[in-house]
Amino acid sequence: MTKMIFGRFLPGDSFVHKMDPRAKLLFVFIFIIAVFIANSTWSYAALLVITLLIMLMSKIKLRYLINGLKPVLILMVFTLLLHVFFTKGGALVVDFGWVNIYEEGIRQGIFISVRFLVLVFITSILTLTTSPIAITDGLEILLSPFKKVKLPVHELALMMSIALRFIPTLMDETDKIMKAQMARGSDLTTGPVKDRVKAVVPLLIPLFVSAFKRAEDLATAMEVRGYRGGEGRTRYRLLKWTMRDTLALLALLVMIAILVLLRN
């Protein structure tokens, strides 16, 4: 539980850390579009190479990402197996009577799993290399044109930032409650499924109480400090777009052009 990396920020001095948050958000948005452009073996291989390069540039270890994303990786394996056993088409690869595995099922399973993997890795690198405050500022500036249609841009960016920040906090709180319950003799890891589900109830109740209390304390602290929304607020940290950000986006556009060429 303590290894979960969703919403966590790791300070650093890598190329990705130094990028402007607006550039990183645009990069991730364009990269997500590029993921859905890929439809061949070579294009998905290119996506994996791009993801590996970004990870190396961020100086985040692959082992750290894998350990923190184990629940997501389990879901990815489950998705792979679903496609392998239930997608029909192409040549019959394995025939075990009632279990038939087709070439198209293996192909689709691998492609969907790779797509899911690179999306999770890229978004995780974004949150690991960008502080919640920087993400909020970047989102608000990028969405500022929508203020003309009365969209509460500041409030939306603030809610997303708080949600990201609360994920590791709730994970830590869950770990503390689990250890407290286990110290009192509660068994959360062994026994029949029915008993495990019953044991989770004493865990959920204090977790929800703690979450609501933290939310109330945060709202009170913001009101005491005079927070009244984004109207008229100034910024302590000013974002600065550099040549590094421009080059990163240009490199991504070149990569997308290569992906288009590698399509079937």
Side-chain angles (χ1 to χ4, degrees):
M1 188 69 68
T2 56
K3 293 181 180 179
M4 292 290 290
I5 63 176
F6 289 113
R8 295 188 186 275
F9 168 60
L10 297 179
D13 60 348
S14 68
F15 180 90
V16 180
H17 279 86
K18 294 178 180 179
M19 285 179 62
D20 189 285
R22 295 169 294 179
K24 284 189 273 189
L25 288 168
L26 286 173
F27 189 100
V28 171
F29 179 74
I30 298 172
F31 186 86
I32 291 174
I33 297 175
V35 168
F36 290 97
I37 291 176
N39 69 343
S40 66
T41 303
W42 287 109
S43 58
Y44 279 103
L47 281 177
L48 287 174
V49 172
I50 295 170
T51 305
L52 181 61
L53 289 175
I54 295 171
M55 186 183 65
L56 293 175
M57 292 169 62
S58 66
K59 296 183 180 179
I60 297 176
K61 295 182 179 179
L62 179 61
R63 182 181 298 178
Y64 179 80
L65 281 174
I66 293 175
N67 288 334
L69 297 172
K70 279 183 179 179
V72 178
L73 297 179
I74 293 173
L75 179 61
M76 186 188 71
V77 173
F78 179 71
T79 304
L80 171 63
L81 294 177
L82 279 179
H83 281 278
V84 168
F85 288 110
F86 294 103
T87 301
K88 311 296 182 183
L92 182 62
V93 179
V94 177
D95 185 5
F96 285 141
W98 61 278
V99 177
N100 297 320
I101 299 177
Y102 291 85
E103 185 182 61
E104 185 65 21
I106 298 175
R107 178 178 174 275
Q108 287 295 329
I110 294 174
F111 283 1
I112 297 298
S113 299
V114 170
R115 181 180 293 179
F116 193 60
L117 179 69
V118 296
L119 285 175
V120 171
F121 271 30
I122 287 297
T123 51
S124 299
I125 290 173
L126 170 67
T127 57
L128 287 170
T129 59
T130 316
S131 66
I133 296 176
I135 292 177
T136 302
D137 293 341
L139 273 176
E140 186 176 354
I141 294 174
L142 290 176
L143 297 177
S144 57
F146 292 98
K147 290 181 179 179
K148 297 180 180 179
V149 294
K150 305 299 182 182
L151 185 70
V153 173
H154 176 79
E155 286 73 14
L156 288 174
L158 181 65
M159 285 190 294
M160 293 182 66
S161 174
I162 292 175
L164 285 173
R165 182 60 187 88
F166 257 62
I167 291 173
T169 302
L170 291 179
M171 291 297 176
D172 294 339
E173 191 71 23
T174 303
D175 185 58
K176 291 178 182 178
I177 297 172
M178 287 179 64
K179 290 179 179 177
Q181 296 287 358
M182 293 172 68
R184 293 179 175 88
S186 178
D187 189 2
L188 303 174
T189 57
T190 60
V193 177
K194 183 179 179 181
D195 294 340
R196 292 190 192 183
V197 173
K198 288 182 179 179
V200 170
V201 176
L203 175 68
L204 293 177
I205 294 175
L207 179 62
F208 274 102
V209 172
S210 174
F212 284 121
K213 186 177 184 302
R214 286 180 180 276
E216 185 179 4
D217 292 342
L218 178 61
T220 303
M222 293 173 70
E223 290 179 0
V224 168
R225 287 168 173 78
Y227 177 79
R228 294 294 182 271
E231 194 66 30
R233 288 178 61 86
T234 57
R235 301 181 187 277
Y236 176 71
R237 297 176 179 84
L238 297 178
L239 303 182
K240 185 178 180 181
W241 189 283
T242 62
M243 183 60 68
R244 179 190 300 110
D245 308 305
T246 304
L247 292 176
L249 291 179
L250 288 176
L252 180 61
L253 293 177
V254 172
M255 294 174 188
I256 292 178
I258 296 174
L259 286 176
V260 172
L261 293 175
L262 293 175
R263 281 173 57 88
N264 286 334

